[in-house]
Amino acid sequence: FFSTRARRSRAREARPRVRTRLSSARARPHGVGRTPTPARGLSGHASLRPNPRWKKKLRPRMTSTCVVRASAPGRDHPRVTTPRPRKIPGPRPLSALLSLLSATKDDAQKAEALDPATLAQVRIVASSPKLRTVNGDPVRAAGLGGNRNVCQPKALAPTARAHGVNYFFAYSMRDDQIGDYLDGLAELCSDPKTRKKIFVAVGTENFTDREALTAHVERCLSRLRTNYIDAFFLEYVPRGAEAEAVETIRWMRNEGGLIVGDGGRAGVDGVIRYVGASTHDRCAGSRLLRSQRNGRGFIGEEPCEEEKEKEEKEEEEEERDGGGEKTATDLDFEPCELDFLMARYNMAHVKSERTLFPLAMARDVPVVAFTTTRWNSLQREPVPELGWTEGAPPTTAECMRWALAANDAVEVVLNSAPTTEELGAWCEDWAARGDGVAMSADEVAKWRRYGELVYEEDAPFETYT
């Protein structure tokens, strides 16, 4: 008997000391799960035995390297986690606490300053069904653009949105030129709810290199933190490059897979909802408007050999099907390749009214007017020699409203406000008009006379014929 007890005592002495941790997924009565109080064995060593009253309910696991927790339902093996020391944060310096307090105060002031309920709202909207946000809201006629000649603040785009503006244009993604403006626009696009309520337009001048164009589209999506663009413009298309621009748009619609098709979803079936072009040249703009979809050439121009063969095959098929002479409906042209056209239009530059704008309306292409202030020269006091006697020069808001009211082809007018103060000034002027007419007929005639006085026929970059 004593020899048996001695062997057991020696065996217990040879065992390594271990610790246990009891774990259970359900709540335990008081004392359950705690490390049991060691009981002194016959040999004088501590015997780690759990309370026998809970022996049937609890099955402690013993390990010397890790803590074993009860397995989750449906799992074959328990989850093993390595114990980590608890991190105790140290005291923060007084400067850090003060910065936190000041940041909270500034954020509250910004939120209060951008409350739409306290700001003047731009309410005049575009009529074209293309100028709609993803959730169906009509685009406001006054849009905000980026200006590379001044450093626009980051708060500009959020402030414009608070005033009701929902059309934003960024002609490039260069951070060295409009980086702060892009940061503010990206802040709006990163909010999923806000993104559905705004119309974001971008563009590029390098539209002949398709790989570069695709890379630029990816850059736009990444920089603005969005998965789709509402409108993409081929910028400043010069005379003689119209065919290349049209071929690029056709590639974007078909092989490129960039443009959302009819009935498609933005961000799923394509990353661009609409495509357009901008130009200072009225002749280039007119030819772009005469472009046609479905592979057809420009209206009024002799088709190429491939187009002739295609038309002959279509005529032969119609004759075999028993088709008679073509009616006026059969002679309708294909839709224009452009969804939008951006053109220069202001009080001094009105020659687009003669040919460009009537053609845009006939082709169902809304016009977005830029340089509405003639590079901020219309707001300057005219020289006395001009003989202007009808009061002060126009304000920025009056220049914008004139461009919208003077011709029905114009749906959106852009302005690149340099500061939030100037932005707020023309937003308040627009808000005073409500949702009615942008400008009366008498005002339009008055500022047309002003534009004729300040226009310089021989000035560089004043006009394109």
Side-chain angles (χ1 to χ4, degrees):
F1 172 78
F2 290 101
S3 62
T4 302
R5 291 181 57 185
R7 287 197 300 272
R8 291 177 179 175
S9 176
R10 287 195 295 271
R12 282 195 296 269
E13 291 177 358
R15 294 175 185 172
R17 294 197 177 194
V18 297
R19 62 185 180 89
T20 64
R21 180 175 177 178
L22 305 182
S23 176
S24 176
R26 57 186 177 181
R28 310 182 187 91
H30 179 71
V32 177
R34 300 179 181 177
T35 304
T37 304
R40 308 295 291 184
L42 296 176
S43 61
H45 293 280
S47 177
L48 300 178
R49 297 176 182 175
N51 193 328
R53 291 180 299 174
W54 306 102
K55 185 175 182 180
K56 294 183 179 180
K57 295 184 179 181
L58 303 175
R59 296 179 180 179
R61 299 181 182 272
M62 304 174 65
T63 176
S64 59
T65 58
C66 63
V67 178
V68 181
R69 302 185 184 277
S71 61
R75 294 183 182 177
D76 296 330
H77 303 285
R79 180 164 55 95
V80 180
T81 58
T82 304
R84 298 178 180 178
R86 183 180 178 184
K87 294 182 179 180
I88 302 176
R92 292 192 176 187
L94 180 60
S95 59
L97 296 177
L98 293 177
S99 64
L100 289 175
L101 293 176
S102 61
T104 304
K105 183 178 179 181
D106 292 341
D107 293 341
Q109 291 177 350
K110 291 179 181 178
E112 183 179 357
L114 297 181
D115 184 8
T118 62
L119 296 176
Q121 298 292 300
V122 176
R123 301 190 184 279
I124 301 178
V125 299
S127 60
S128 173
K130 300 177 186 178
L131 289 166
R132 296 291 185 272
T133 62
V134 166
N135 69 346
D137 293 342
V139 166
R140 306 296 170 93
L144 179 66
N147 189 343
R148 62 184 175 182
N149 296 321
V150 296
C151 184
Q152 294 170 297
K154 178 182 177 181
L156 194 65
T159 303
R161 181 69 194 109
H163 279 283
V165 176
N166 61 355
Y167 187 102
F168 299 90
F169 176 66
Y171 74 97
S172 77
M173 293 291 116
R174 293 186 55 175
D175 288 327
D176 60 331
Q177 293 181 345
I178 56 173
D180 292 341
Y181 174 81
L182 294 176
D183 289 340
L185 186 55
E187 181 180 321
L188 296 178
C189 293
S190 62
D191 184 357
K193 293 183 179 180
T194 304
R195 181 64 187 92
K196 296 179 180 179
K197 299 178 182 179
I198 61 177
F199 194 99
V200 178
V202 299
T204 181
E205 297 183 50
N206 186 12
F207 54 84
T208 56
D209 187 344
R210 294 175 181 176
E211 292 185 1
L213 187 144
T214 303
H216 183 74
V217 172
E218 294 175 353
R219 165 68 174 161
C220 293
L221 298 174
S222 174
R223 182 64 178 84
L224 298 180
R225 290 182 283 174
T226 182
N227 62 344
Y228 67 92
I229 297 296
D230 294 286
F232 190 89
F233 287 90
L234 309 185
E235 297 174 340
Y236 308 129
V237 178
R239 191 181 307 183
E242 303 92 342
E244 291 180 318
V246 170
E247 287 300 322
T248 298
I249 294 176
R250 288 175 179 170
W251 175 82
M252 294 173 66
R253 292 188 187 277
N254 300 297
E255 296 89 345
L258 297 176
I259 301 176
V260 181
D262 295 336
R265 295 171 296 175
V268 178
D269 303 311
V271 295
I272 298 173
R273 296 178 61 203
Y274 300 103
V275 65
S278 71
T279 182
H280 284 280
D281 194 312
R282 296 191 303 277
C283 294
S286 298
R287 191 168 186 232
L288 289 170
L289 291 173
R290 288 189 279 110
S291 63
Q292 301 181 85
R293 298 189 188 181
N294 300 325
R296 297 183 62 177
F298 295 89
I299 298 174
E301 297 182 12
E302 188 70 19
C304 62
E305 294 297 329
E306 295 180 357
E307 293 176 356
K308 285 183 179 180
E309 293 177 0
K310 184 178 179 180
E311 291 178 359
E312 290 175 357
K313 289 181 180 180
E314 291 178 353
E315 291 177 359
E316 291 176 0
E317 291 177 358
E318 290 178 359
E319 290 178 359
R320 286 196 301 266
D321 295 338
E325 295 182 359
K326 291 186 177 181
T327 62
T329 304
D330 297 328
L331 294 175
D332 286 345
F333 302 111
E334 293 291 333
C336 183
E337 280 288 0
L338 304 183
D339 292 313
F340 302 117
L341 176 68
M342 284 184 63
R344 186 209 313 177
Y345 185 54
N346 53 63
M347 300 172 184
H349 301 146
V350 297
K351 293 182 179 180
S352 295
E353 299 173 342
R354 302 175 185 175
T355 56
L356 190 62
F357 290 172
L359 184 56
M361 295 185 68
R363 301 290 283 149
D364 191 24
V365 177
V367 174
V368 179
F370 64 99
T371 65
T372 54
T373 62
R374 189 170 166 248
W375 307 287
N376 290 318
S377 64
L378 294 176
Q379 305 98 308
R380 301 171 188 167
E381 190 73 28
V383 296
E385 290 79 5
L386 295 178
W388 176 250
T389 60
E390 299 186 49
T395 62
T396 300
E398 287 174 325
C399 293
M400 297 172 65
R401 289 192 288 105
W402 184 92
L404 182 67
N407 197 281
D408 293 335
V410 178
E411 295 271 5
V412 177
V413 292
L414 296 179
N415 179 258
S416 302
T419 63
T420 55
E421 290 76 16
E422 292 193 25
L423 171 69
W426 63 254
C427 283
E428 291 179 1
D429 187 284
W430 276 81
R433 296 281 171 166
D435 55 358
V437 181
M439 184 173 285
S440 65
D442 293 339
E443 289 178 294
V444 171
K446 169 188 172 181
W447 295 122
R448 189 181 292 275
R449 293 191 297 270
Y450 175 82
E452 293 175 356
L453 286 175
V454 299
Y455 178 75
E456 301 177 31
E457 184 68 38
D458 298 330
F461 205 67
E462 186 73 298
T463 185
Y464 282 93
T465 57

